[in-house]
Amino acid sequence: MQRWTVEWGGAGVLEGQGITRDSLKSGDTVVITGSPGRDVTEHRMRMSSLRRTSDGFGWGTKPGEKFD
């Protein structure tokens, strides 16, 4: 297991896309895709999509759901 730092959008942008502070809970199992940072040993990535495995909740697959 590795711990990664994942860069997402700002709260205002995400709220406009339907993401709130209650969308994810501690302990949720998620699958994240994205682009790694320049130094992969730092374990950082810029997220392009997220999917919660328990119910299929996701972000990043619909028009307008992106982080610039």
Side-chain angles (χ1 to χ4, degrees):
M1 181 184 294
Q2 292 179 338
R3 182 176 290 216
W4 282 69
T5 300
V6 179
E7 183 179 344
W8 205 355
V13 172
L14 292 172
E15 187 173 334
Q17 296 172 356
I19 302 296
T20 68
R21 67 181 329 145
D22 298 320
S23 295
L24 297 171
K25 302 286 187 215
S26 179
D28 281 351
T29 300
V30 296
V31 176
I32 296 173
T33 61
S35 302
R38 291 182 184 180
D39 183 353
V40 294
T41 62
E42 292 182 353
H43 299 112
R44 295 178 173 270
M45 80 170 4
R46 180 175 163 188
M47 182 166 39
S48 58
S49 72
L50 173 140
R51 180 83 41 217
R52 183 170 45 217
T53 59
S54 63
D55 62 359
F57 168 82
W59 176 89
T61 58
K62 298 175 187 158
E65 293 180 340
K66 64 178 185 170
F67 171 60
D68 292 325

